[in-house]
Amino acid sequence: MKQNIIFFVMIVSTLFLYGQRIITAEEQKEETDTLILNRVKEWQDLKFGFFAHWGIYATEELVESWSICNEDWIDRKGVEYEPYKQWYWELNKKFNPKNFDANKWAELAWECGMRYFVFTSKHHDGFCMYDTKQTDYSVCGKDCPYSQNQNNDIVKQVVEAFRSKGFWTGLYFSKADWHNKDYWSPMWATPDRNVNYNIDKHPEKWQRFCDFTYKQIEEITHNYGDIDILWLDGGWIRPQWSINSDEVRSWLGAYQRVQDIDMPKIAKIARKGNEDMIIVDRSVGGKYENYRTPEQSVPDSPLNYPWETCMTMGDSWSYVKNDNYKSTNTLIHTLVDVVCKGGNLLLNVGPDKEGNIPEPAIERMKEMGAWLRVNSKAIYSTHPIAPYKSNNICFTESNNDKVFAIILLSNSTNLQNTYTFELSKDLAIGKKKVLGSKAEAKLSKEGEKYILNFSNKDVEQNREKNALVVEL
Ligand code: GLC
């Protein structure tokens, strides 16, 4: 017995000595705490969120962070890696957005119909958009000209402006930090996105990086009131048990280093006094990925777990000149497609170096808002109903049991006189209201099939719509 105890103490102390921790079975399973599950359910009712990637990369209209990473898919337009990196690190000296007005962003996003937001407090490049005590590499650091403003904490301004309008607040935070010398040590080359030293050989270095991260997590989750969503990126930083696919292994590069940052500890810090905060440890799975985040895509059918599609309005997450914006029609159809499958849409815009939301984005956001104001009943607080999507009709059911048919229209698919569909619920036949229109549709039934009819006049008058909603 005594020997066993000594043996156990030896193992535990060795684990701690080398910075490893004891991994529990619990963290590998999905969250079961109803407090958190209920919060996720409430979040699912919001449906539509505003995502903004903003940082020093905007000063040169670059793709966020990635150009300082030495992976061969990255294009530095012929500039050599090391000088490029040195140049990039200095972009903090250029960040000085003269037109930034968080209230303007919040008003626009509200008008667009968005009801929560996720903002990049720190991307992989390590530049902090908030007042951190852990590094000078931030908007409030002395080298950054924006620090001269009295109100220089950007996260604070964004959180306060959006919260006061009624948005749920979310902060994006990259677990990786390429500017931190305990993550990318200047002692060695930086061959890829990962930590650039052997953690087993330098556990004290890794521990310092973890401690730095814990303090930053504490700052962003406690300095701005209760944050609703902690959205963690940098999925290559994850425990051994979650390294379970070729895709994940491909992120880990040549050295396949396991970078366990102790998520139970991070969650504990973040949720202190705010127990039902939603945590999204992207792609890792288990207890701290409270919802999943398909990127730039919409699943083919409903998923049996909570999810959110994050998608760029242009092609890029951050501001780049002449970005290729999706049309309002496509964006509305994407929102409907996501909602009819039970997801949320987190739509991203990259503000420019002065803090402006680009004009094409403003235009689209206003147009989306105009559509949503008419058709909100079919979107917010709804859940999926089979067959979800049939040809170009999507179905949703509100939490008070009303069923909606959302007919997707475009230049190439005008409204038709007749639609035929099956539905997993009995509907009363007769006249049906078209939201925001004088038009009326007639619903009848033949065998198992419902038939929805529009008059010629209604077909003619509703040609230009992006999507028409019928309350069934
Ligand atoms: C992609 C990008 C990353 C961005 C993220 C947002 O993973 O590489 O830079 O922050 O998408 O979802």
Side-chain angles (χ1 to χ4, degrees):
M1 181 65 184
K2 205 168 160 194
Q3 263 177 335
N4 284 349
I5 292 174
I6 292 172
F7 184 61
F8 180 74
V9 170
M10 269 171 59
I11 291 195
V12 170
S13 51
T14 315
L15 286 174
F16 281 113
L17 201 64
Y18 284 96
Q20 288 177 20
R21 63 187 182 89
I22 297 165
I23 290 168
T24 60
E26 202 201 345
E27 73 185 76
Q28 304 177 41
K29 296 190 197 122
E30 279 175 23
E31 183 59 79
T32 51
D33 183 341
T34 48
L35 200 69
I36 292 165
L37 299 184
N38 288 339
R39 193 71 180 146
V40 171
K41 276 212 186 92
E42 285 171 30
W43 165 82
Q44 286 181 299
D45 283 343
L46 305 178
K47 302 298 178 200
F48 192 22
F50 175 72
F51 200 8
H53 273 64
W54 203 37
I56 48 173
Y57 35 82
T59 61
E60 293 288 336
E61 300 169 358
L62 302 170
V63 162
E64 72 291 346
S65 300
W66 283 103
S67 58
I68 50 171
C69 178
N70 179 43
E71 292 182 17
D72 60 10
W73 55 275
I74 292 154
D75 178 19
R76 273 177 294 276
K77 309 226 160 36
V79 185
E80 287 176 11
Y81 181 54
E82 285 303 334
Y84 182 92
K85 214 165 39 160
Q86 291 318 316
W87 169 80
Y88 185 101
W89 290 139
E90 308 259 302
L91 295 181
N92 63 329
K93 297 184 179 158
K94 291 192 182 165
F95 189 78
N96 198 13
K98 297 263 172 20
N99 298 338
F100 172 55
D101 179 348
N103 287 308
K104 255 193 181 166
W105 291 14
E107 264 161 40
L108 176 66
W110 191 264
E111 188 185 338
C112 177
M114 292 154 158
R115 293 297 177 256
Y116 68 102
F117 78 90
V118 178
F119 180 71
T120 48
S121 61
K122 179 179 88 169
H123 205 262
H124 314 328
D125 64 13
F127 182 75
C128 299
M129 298 295 277
Y130 74 99
D131 189 7
T132 173
K133 300 284 171 276
Q134 315 314 319
T135 170
D136 243 10
Y137 204 53
S138 82
V139 273
C140 307
K142 62 178 186 330
D143 287 348
C144 179
Y146 192 73
S147 67
Q148 299 308 312
N149 291 280
Q150 232 178 8
N151 197 4
N152 58 11
D153 184 330
I154 286 184
V155 165
K156 179 167 186 276
Q157 295 177 61
V158 172
V159 169
E160 284 177 357
F162 279 72
R163 182 185 280 137
S164 72
K165 282 230 150 281
F167 285 86
W168 280 40
T169 56
L171 291 178
Y172 168 113
F173 179 89
S174 169
K175 290 179 289 181
D177 187 325
W178 295 334
H179 191 263
N180 186 301
K181 293 187 166 47
D182 290 313
Y183 192 74
W184 272 8
S185 166
M187 298 301 289
W188 298 282
T190 52
D192 54 35
R193 68 187 71 184
N194 296 284
V195 65
N196 73 338
Y197 57 88
N198 184 336
I199 294 175
D200 294 336
K201 280 198 190 150
H202 303 279
E204 72 300 335
K205 244 179 137 30
W206 179 250
Q207 194 54 52
R208 267 204 309 272
F209 174 63
C210 291
D211 291 340
F212 165 89
T213 307
Y214 304 145
K215 286 187 203 134
Q216 288 207 321
I217 293 282
E218 166 113 47
E219 289 174 339
I220 62 167
T221 56
H222 294 281
N223 291 355
Y224 308 103
D226 284 353
I227 297 298
D228 299 300
I229 305 162
L230 177 62
W231 211 93
L232 297 173
D233 203 11
W236 54 95
I237 298 191
R238 61 200 293 144
Q240 175 83 67
W241 61 263
S242 71
I243 301 174
N244 49 12
S245 71
D246 288 343
E247 191 188 8
V248 171
R249 280 184 283 272
S250 77
W251 300 337
L252 299 184
Y255 296 100
Q256 297 286 303
R257 285 177 177 139
V258 180
Q259 302 155 72
D260 186 336
I261 201 159
D262 197 347
M263 266 310 293
K265 182 159 181 175
I266 286 187
K268 200 165 163 204
I269 294 170
R271 287 193 175 130
K272 195 169 57 194
N274 184 16
E275 283 80 18
D276 61 356
M277 171 190 280
I278 295 175
I279 297 183
V280 183
D281 190 16
R282 283 192 86 194
S283 84
V284 173
K287 194 172 166 68
Y288 307 108
E289 191 177 19
N290 298 156
Y291 66 73
R292 289 189 232 180
T293 56
E295 193 171 294
Q296 302 285 34
S297 66
V298 181
D300 293 333
S301 49
L303 303 173
N304 60 0
Y305 44 77
W307 60 278
E308 164 195 87
T309 281
C310 54
M311 190 177 273
T312 49
M313 195 184 281
D315 286 339
S316 173
W317 294 100
S318 54
Y319 179 83
V320 294
K321 221 186 237 149
N322 303 325
D323 204 351
N324 175 29
Y325 286 89
K326 297 171 183 73
S327 68
T328 302
N329 190 263
T330 301
L331 293 168
I332 291 173
H333 289 194
T334 304
L335 175 67
V336 173
D337 193 15
V338 164
V339 169
C340 80
K341 292 167 185 164
N344 281 17
L345 176 66
L346 183 62
L347 184 60
N348 180 84
V349 169
D352 70 13
K353 64 174 170 196
E354 299 299 351
N356 304 307
I357 304 223
E359 274 306 322
I362 296 180
E363 197 183 296
R364 285 158 178 77
M365 287 170 79
K366 290 192 170 163
E367 288 169 357
M368 289 186 88
W371 184 86
L372 266 165
R373 275 192 293 284
V374 172
N375 299 298
S376 59
K377 283 204 282 184
I379 300 292
Y380 303 112
S381 302
T382 61
H383 51 258
I385 177 167
Y388 320 115
K389 190 175 186 180
S390 157
N391 299 316
N392 57 342
I393 312 186
C394 296
F395 299 94
T396 60
E397 185 176 32
S398 67
N399 292 348
N400 55 3
D401 288 342
K402 293 216 164 83
V403 178
F404 298 93
I406 309 175
I407 306 173
L408 303 178
L409 304 173
S410 69
N411 291 341
S412 53
T413 41
N414 288 330
L415 189 67
Q416 293 165 25
N417 284 104
T418 306
Y419 292 89
T420 308
F421 58 88
E422 288 184 36
L423 198 86
S424 58
K425 187 176 173 177
D426 279 339
L427 299 170
I429 56 171
K431 284 185 181 166
K432 300 290 166 181
K433 218 164 92 185
V434 176
L435 301 191
S437 154
K438 290 202 181 88
E440 263 182 351
K442 278 197 200 89
L443 186 73
S444 54
K445 198 172 186 189
E446 265 176 32
E448 289 302 299
K449 292 198 181 338
Y450 287 104
I451 299 156
L452 196 61
N453 273 305
F454 291 94
S455 68
N456 288 339
K457 193 171 134 221
D458 288 343
V459 167
E460 204 45 51
Q461 286 177 350
N462 287 288
R463 266 187 204 293
E464 304 294 310
K465 297 266 164 68
N466 289 303
L468 205 72
V469 177
V470 184
E471 190 171 329
L472 293 174

